Amino acid sequence: MNIAALVSGGVDSSVVVHQLKEAGYDPSIFYIKIGMEDEHGYIDCPAEEDIEITSYIAKKYGCRFEIVSLHEEYWENVVSYTIDAVKRGLTPNPDMMCNKLIKFGCFEQKWGHAFDKIATGHYASTSIIEGKTYLSTAVDKAKDQTYFLGQVDYLQISKLMFPIGMLPKSEVRIIAQAQGLPSAQRKDSQGICFLGKINYNDFIRRYLGELRGKIIDIETNAIVGEHQGYWFHTIGQRKGLGLSGGPWFVIKKDVDENIVYVAKGYDPAMQYGKTINLQGFDFITEDPWGEFDGERDITFKIRHTPEFTQGKISRIGDLYSIASDDKIQGIAAGQFGVVYDQHSRLCLGSGMII
């Protein structure tokens, strides 16, 4: 089998190469360079060390190694989506778009089409049920990354391999240490990949600027502070508001009036909701219930967390609605709701919260 392995220099993707070689495969290794292009030129992820490690891995295991650039495609598909969503007052998820449109989209079209499978270091797995491939959760539920894969389609999931999906993170570290991989003790990457070491607010400020507006207590309608633009704030945010006498949480935003509404207290009721409405919902493989009607028991996530929440899903016209068993904090338009079967085993599909 001809396999392309997407390797970033981190411990997870490094161990992917080891696992593939142990299974008798001879993967071709690809390092994808992504970043932003603006008036100052490219702003790269800190790629130099990543490429050095990936090159070492390729030599160690005797694999073909190629560095490919998707700068322009990343800007057009992911960075511009992020800026547009923030400007509209939404909460974007660039990592989900990167998986769908870049790693398994543009890469597949330019290089991946020549391979039978594409292997990545995601904590996920696949299951074959009645001849069809389903995206499945990882053994290590605390590290499971299927939320970030919730927007892939059937053709993409059919071609993907997740060689570490059946391993706990602790074992991945042990394998890396035993094999002397330079990434063995590397910390997991955090934040949005295209920003590198750039502060998120600095990035937003560069493209959307600043615009002073009021921060209003949603319960009393009193002005309690000032912000520099609603686009710097997200639903459920607590830190960075600059308000005294808190804690304060962002409850909603008025985009037209540039107002950020907040509520006070450690557990304000307005932070929570039990209904999540999804537009553009797509099943990755197929509707597992056949012709969808009534309501179905599911588990779901509205952000990348170790926990799955129990609930029921129903369909009203073109919209799908989740009724959560528990109150959910920080439900924000623009986030994705990712739906799983009631046992949190199969990742069924996703839609955008409205």
Side-chain angles (χ1 to χ4, degrees), residues 225-246:
E226 188 178 79
H227 62 83
Q228 301 302 313
Y230 65 81
W231 44 81
F232 292 112
H233 302 288
T234 57
I235 303 301
Q237 176 184 340
R238 174 183 171 185
K239 296 180 179 179
L241 291 169
L243 303 177
S244 60

Side-chain angles (χ1 to χ4, degrees), residues 52-257:
E52 285 181 4
I53 291 175
T54 305
S55 178
Y56 174 88
I57 297 294
K59 289 176 183 176
K60 177 180 174 65
Y61 290 102
C63 300
R64 184 172 78 86
F65 175 41
E66 186 174 351
I67 300 170
V68 297
S69 176
L70 289 172
H71 280 290
E72 185 178 339
E73 293 84 354
Y74 199 84
W75 172 264
E76 292 175 354
N77 290 284
V78 180
V79 183
S80 59
Y81 146 80
T82 302
I83 295 169
D84 178 66
V86 170
K87 189 174 183 179
R88 291 162 56 200
L90 304 176
T91 301
N93 194 313
D95 294 301
M96 290 182 79
M97 291 299 102
C98 181
N99 285 328
K100 177 182 176 65
L101 301 175
I102 303 300
K103 291 179 181 176
F104 314 134
C106 296
F107 174 81
E108 158 66 22
Q109 293 158 16
K110 292 193 173 189
W111 298 282
H113 62 85
F115 295 86
D116 300 312
K117 292 284 186 178
I118 297 175
T120 80
H122 287 97
Y123 284 86
S125 61
T126 56
S127 300
I128 305 297
I129 301 174
E130 296 180 354
K132 294 183 178 179
T133 305
Y134 284 81
L135 174 61
S136 307
T137 50
V139 166
D140 191 334
K141 292 296 188 286
K143 297 298 294 182
D144 179 76
Q145 292 176 304
T146 51
Y147 179 83
F148 292 124
L149 297 166
Q151 277 281 295
V152 300
D153 61 30
Y154 184 68
L155 288 177
Q156 291 170 325
I157 195 59
S158 298
K159 193 165 182 175
L160 290 175
M161 291 178 71
F162 306 110
I164 63 169
M166 302 308 289
L167 299 175
K169 178 74 178 200
S170 57
E171 190 170 338
V172 170
R173 291 279 186 196
I174 290 170
I175 292 171
Q177 190 74 42
Q179 297 303 313
L181 304 185
S183 54
Q185 299 303 323
R186 259 189 133 187
K187 292 182 179 179
D188 293 339
S189 60
Q190 301 291 330
I192 300 169
C193 53
F194 67 74
L195 292 181
K197 296 180 181 179
I198 296 172
N199 178 273
Y200 177 76
N201 280 349
D202 290 343
F203 160 71
I204 294 298
R205 186 177 293 106
R206 176 175 299 185
Y207 293 98
L208 298 181
E210 293 183 351
L211 182 63
R212 289 185 179 182
K214 301 171 183 176
I215 300 178
I216 294 179
D217 185 335
I218 198 168
E219 296 178 319
T220 66
N221 213 34
I223 299 172
V224 295
E226 188 178 79
H227 62 83
Q228 301 302 313
Y230 65 81
W231 44 81
F232 292 112
H233 302 288
T234 57
I235 303 301
Q237 176 184 340
R238 174 183 171 185
K239 296 180 179 179
L241 291 169
L243 303 177
S244 60
W248 296 90
F249 292 87
V250 175
I251 301 300
K252 73 172 187 177
K253 298 181 287 186
D254 185 326
V255 173
D256 295 329
E257 299 296 327

